[in-house]
Amino acid sequence: GQAYNASGSLLGGAPGDIKVESGSLVPAQATGTVTLTNNLDSSATVPTTAFDPTDQSSYNFATGTQVYDSLGNAHTLTTYFVKNTSNTWDWHVLDESGNEVANSTTMGGTQLTFNSDGSLAGGGTTAISGLNWSNGSTTPQDITLNFASTQYSSSSQSISQSQDGYAPGTLSSTTVDSDRNVIATYSNGEKVKVASIALASFSNPDGLSKEGGNLYSATTTSGGAQTGVSGPQHGKIFTNSLEQSN
């Protein structure tokens, strides 16, 4: 087959052996983007005390998000939401040590504002800059924070979260998909394309020489192998199928 490079593009050249090392490890990836999808209760009251993460009366809603550094260590960022006025909310992000690393007022962020129908009007994207975990990972770590928020008359709640970082993982399984790609699946849930299986056709398949064990070799009668992608010319691969013998 033909191997894929690290960016997921097929390498050129003649097909070769496909190798998936049993002890292979996929490296960690530092989180670069976080998306928080939540609803903020439009009927919530405006807190009367200054924001203090240890005082629940000073904020309306909080949600924690797991992120990863370049070594694959997991960290928790907690986002606190504070209603400011009708249709306007402030927010604060604290790291696991209680340090404020971003907010909507004094650290470059912007307030979340909402339209009269509850949809987000402004402040949907911001940056968390200069994270330093003091553990030997790459610093500073910057994260883009996306707020996919609504403001309906319903309890404040986290609907979903996503982030693009992950810990390192060891190989757990390999599969072949319907597009003839060999896929390596790792213990951290990542799936990596390893190679694309080469398919071959012959001008005279009946001229192939049977070598035993379902193996055949080309002869002058069969003609040379013509390799290419799956399809009408070279056939298809059917995964999870067993060929019956005559």
Side-chain angles (χ1 to χ4, degrees):
Q2 289 181 289
Y4 283 96
N5 62 19
S7 62
S9 299
L10 274 176
L11 298 174
D17 292 340
I18 296 175
K19 297 181 179 179
V20 182
E21 300 294 338
S22 59
S24 62
L25 181 75
V26 64
Q29 177 171 294
T31 299
T33 301
V34 170
T35 299
L36 302 180
T37 303
N38 51 38
N39 181 67
L40 301 175
D41 189 354
S42 63
S43 61
T45 58
V46 176
T48 57
T49 57
F51 170 69
D52 178 353
T54 65
D55 181 2
Q56 293 186 6
S57 67
S58 69
Y59 58 88
N60 300 92
F61 177 62
T63 183
T65 307
Q66 189 173 76
V67 298
Y68 294 89
D69 62 31
S70 62
L71 298 176
N73 297 301
H75 306 275
T76 300
L77 296 177
T78 304
T79 306
Y80 298 83
F81 296 90
V82 182
K83 190 172 185 180
N84 185 288
T85 59
S86 296
N87 298 336
T88 303
W89 290 71
D90 289 320
W91 52 266
H92 305 259
V93 180
L94 275 66
D95 65 17
E96 55 202 3
S97 298
N99 301 308
E100 190 161 14
V101 295
N103 63 45
S104 58
T105 55
T106 63
M107 301 181 73
T110 55
Q111 293 176 315
L112 299 179
T113 58
F114 295 89
N115 297 306
S116 58
D117 63 357
S119 61
L120 187 65
T125 300
T126 191
I128 303 173
S129 302
L131 292 172
N132 187 343
W133 307 111
S134 300
N135 63 354
S137 61
T138 300
T139 57
Q141 181 177 350
D142 298 333
I143 296 177
T144 298
L145 177 59
N146 298 314
F147 292 105
S149 301
T150 55
Q151 185 197 233
Y152 298 133
S153 183
S154 179
S155 60
S156 294
Q157 60 181 304
S158 177
I159 299 170
S160 67
Q161 298 180 359
S162 65
Q163 58 87 37
D164 58 357
Y166 46 81
T170 55
L171 182 69
S172 58
S173 65
T174 56
T175 56
V176 178
D177 66 15
S178 58
D179 294 322
R180 67 191 173 93
N181 295 308
V182 177
I183 309 295
T185 301
Y186 292 85
S187 58
N188 58 3
E190 289 302 301
K191 296 179 183 291
V192 178
K193 288 183 180 180
V194 177
S196 177
I197 297 174
L199 299 179
S201 61
F202 297 85
S203 57
N204 180 21
D206 292 334
L208 292 170
S209 174
K210 188 172 184 179
E211 303 296 336
N214 290 330
L215 298 177
Y216 293 82
S217 62
T219 66
T220 55
T221 304
S222 68
Q226 304 171 40
T227 59
V229 299
S230 61
Q233 182 177 0
H234 300 295
K236 295 183 178 181
I237 291 177
F238 295 92
T239 61
N240 300 315
S241 299
L242 179 65
E243 181 182 11
Q244 293 182 339
S245 299
N246 294 323

